[in-house]
Amino acid sequence: MDEAILRLKLAADAGADVCFIEGVKTKELLEVLVNVISGGLTPPFTYKEAEAMGAKIIIFSLVSCVSMMHAVRAAMKSLMETGTDFISAQGMGLKESFEVMGLNEVVALDAKAGGSAVKQLSK
């Protein structure tokens, strides 16, 4: 731990904006940033608990990934049980999916190249 703290101080002295040690377990080490991962080395702080201990940045780095994994499992289970994706799609079609994923530029490029599949599907 002493070596890790020394390296962080050197990084800060070299101009790093943020430094942190993975697996923070004490208030003294939680002065700026804490990376909370359910089941990880760092105790499961709530963001309010971390703020109260002095953390200025609290990262829940797997929250979207874990949520996505649960959603994919549920969608695959639904597909197996029903034989279709209608339930898991929740009314979201191709056009809406592309918009959520930020692929409107790809749709525009496709149209510019003469493609019309996405345009036809979104009618």
Side-chain angles (χ1 to χ4, degrees):
M1 188 57 70
D2 290 339
E3 179 68 20
I5 292 170
L6 173 63
R7 288 177 185 219
L8 290 180
K9 287 181 180 179
L10 291 171
D13 290 346
D17 292 328
V18 177
C19 302
F20 79 101
I21 297 172
E22 183 60 44
V24 170
K25 295 181 182 176
T26 66
K27 181 180 177 184
E28 292 75 32
L29 294 175
L30 194 145
E31 292 179 358
V32 176
L33 182 147
V34 62
N35 185 28
V36 181
I37 298 175
S38 182
L41 297 174
T42 302
F45 298 119
T46 66
Y47 77 89
K48 288 184 179 184
E49 291 170 332
E51 283 179 342
M53 289 187 274
K56 304 292 183 245
I57 301 170
I58 302 105
I59 301 172
F60 290 88
S61 56
L62 292 182
V63 69
S64 60
C65 293
V66 171
S67 298
M68 180 188 63
M69 286 185 278
H70 288 298
V72 168
R73 284 180 178 164
M76 294 299 108
K77 182 178 181 205
S78 175
L79 177 60
M80 291 292 292
E81 292 173 353
T82 67
T84 183
D85 70 341
F86 294 152
I87 294 171
S88 61
Q90 299 180 27
M92 184 177 284
L94 183 62
K95 181 181 178 187
E96 296 85 6
S97 296
F98 275 30
E99 287 175 4
V100 169
M101 291 186 285
L103 296 176
N104 287 332
E105 293 86 14
V106 174
V107 173
L109 179 62
D110 177 67
K112 188 175 180 180
S116 61
V118 174
K119 185 178 180 181
Q120 290 173 7
L121 289 172
S122 64
K123 288 182 179 179

